[in-house]
Amino acid sequence: MQMAPLMNSNTSSTLVLYPASQAEEPKKENMVSIFDSNMLQKQVNMPKEFIWPSIDLANTTQEELKEPLIDLSIMKGGDEKAIASAAELVRKACMTHGFFQVINHGVEQELINDAYCEIDSIFKQPISRKMSAKRVAGGISGYSGAHADRYSSKLPWKETFSFVYNHQNSSNSQIVNYFKSVLGDDFQNTGLVYEKYCQAMNELSLVIMELLAISLGIDRLHYRRFFQDGDSIMRCNYYPPCKSSGLTFGTGPHSDPTSLTILHQDQVGGLQVFANQKWLSVRPRSEALVINIGDTFMALSNGRYKSCLHRALVNKYKVRRSLVFFVCPREDKVVKPLESLLSKNEARKYPDFTWASLFEFTQKHYRADVATLQSFFQWHSSSKLL
């Protein structure tokens, strides 16, 4: 699939962002079957599976993104002038790069700290125990070491643990039961912490959906209603130190196929966003939560809001951790923009689809990259012809 090069306006050079090679599918024989960072660090040379092409690694910079910092306390205060001002900042950011941060978001710092403590309790377990909770093929929940179960090249230097959060079953112990079932009864408290954390993320996501609706000039409650019965995804990321950090990524360049991402990154740093035709670093803010638009919301806005292109570097000396909540609609909801978002001469940019079909594509057929949505529609249309 051909992609137009992205020009760096500050130089005469051209930065080309290539989609992930689909030759990687299905997975080839891979020497790295278990991600043991301590063992890998002792090797003289970085295993080739973790080495990314120089074209991807280029243009690393410490220049910071000047994204808006939105004070969400205004949403409860009812100051319509302040809300309109914040919505305008969000609109400009989402039309430019799809990224902003929020403060005074209502999520207690103590809860965020507890969630980080539980990240450590998960990833410091013996490899055998982590592998007992391994994510099944095509699924989302469970442990993954460098995604070595799915890919054989350009592996990310990280471990993840993911699970599903059902918005309508928030009163039961869905997450507690999951942790106990895959890691044992001694992880009950871990489940309790993440149950509470996901509830807070869900409540926050609906507030942000209101602000996004205001910024687009539509019914304030439209997206809140659309997403209130969804199945979102919680992911814990753990990036061990890497002595060859300049050769690899913690997460390669991609846009999230989901609708909205709410992320808290620790103070180590490493998150970068592609904006103004270059990669810019995102300053870690302990009091803030990172918000970025995903592919599904881009389709809901008929392309007005950009799906945020981002990546994560790894640190040579320090562990980096992040907490990620991916907001998704109910799997059978039809994703399409409101008619009121379309001007008289504006054509639909994307055909109708369901989140279930896009999710299946990203889990079974395609590695999320800079062109996931376009590739999905090609696959979707061709599969209908079979």
Side-chain angles (χ1 to χ4, degrees), residues 26 47 63 73 97 118 133 138 170 174 184 197 207 285 290 303 339 368 383:
E63 184 179 351
S73 64
H97 46 62
E118 298 307 327
S170 59
Q174 54 174 312
Y197 187 86
V207 174
R285 301 177 186 271
V290 163
E339 289 296 326
S383 63

Side-chain angles (χ1 to χ4, degrees), residues 55-216:
I55 190 70
D56 288 327
L57 295 166
N59 301 283
T60 297
T61 177
Q62 291 304 309
E63 184 179 351
E64 290 186 351
L65 177 69
K66 294 179 175 60
E67 78 281 7
L69 193 61
I70 306 299
D71 185 344
L72 277 188
S73 64
I74 59 170
M75 298 299 286
K76 288 186 177 180
D79 184 337
E80 294 303 321
K81 185 176 180 180
I83 291 173
S85 178
E88 178 61 15
L89 291 174
V90 167
R91 186 187 70 83
K92 289 180 179 178
C94 290
M95 291 183 71
T96 304
H97 46 62
F99 186 94
F100 57 99
Q101 296 201 54
V102 296
I103 57 173
N104 295 323
H105 40 68
V107 182
E108 297 176 1
Q109 187 62 49
E110 183 180 359
L111 177 57
I112 294 173
N113 294 341
D114 288 347
Y116 274 116
C117 287
E118 298 307 327
I119 282 185
D120 292 336
S121 71
I122 294 169
F123 294 107
K124 289 184 179 180
Q125 292 297 309
I127 289 178
S128 59
R129 193 169 192 184
K130 289 186 288 189
M131 291 300 290
S132 70
K134 182 180 175 183
R135 181 182 61 193
V136 299
I140 194 64
S141 296
Y143 169 81
S144 174
H147 300 328
D149 56 323
R150 292 190 64 190
Y151 309 119
S152 56
S153 64
K154 298 201 295 186
L155 298 185
W157 190 269
K158 70 174 179 180
E159 299 174 83
T160 66
F161 194 91
S162 309
F163 46 94
V164 174
Y165 175 78
N166 181 275
H167 298 193
Q168 292 191 308
N169 293 329
S170 59
S171 60
N172 66 22
S173 301
Q174 54 174 312
I175 295 174
V176 174
N177 292 337
Y178 176 72
F179 271 89
K180 290 171 65 176
S181 68
V182 298
L183 289 174
D185 289 345
D186 49 337
F187 276 82
Q188 176 169 333
N189 185 65
T190 305
L192 287 168
V193 168
Y194 286 125
E195 188 99 37
K196 187 176 180 181
Y197 187 86
C198 287
Q199 289 170 359
M201 289 295 107
N202 181 42
E203 292 171 8
L204 173 61
S205 73
L206 297 178
V207 174
I208 295 171
M209 288 299 177
E210 282 193 41
L211 186 58
L212 288 171
I214 295 168
S215 73
L216 283 165

Side-chain angles (χ1 to χ4, degrees), residues 205-242:
S205 73
L206 297 178
V207 174
I208 295 171
M209 288 299 177
E210 282 193 41
L211 186 58
L212 288 171
I214 295 168
S215 73
L216 283 165
I218 64 173
D219 177 3
R220 175 175 181 151
L221 299 180
H222 173 70
Y223 293 130
R224 174 182 276 271
R225 290 191 293 262
F226 188 84
F227 286 96
Q228 65 186 2
D229 57 353
D231 285 322
S232 291
I233 301 164
M234 178 71 201
R235 177 168 295 163
C236 303
N237 289 323
Y238 187 85
Y239 304 86
C242 179

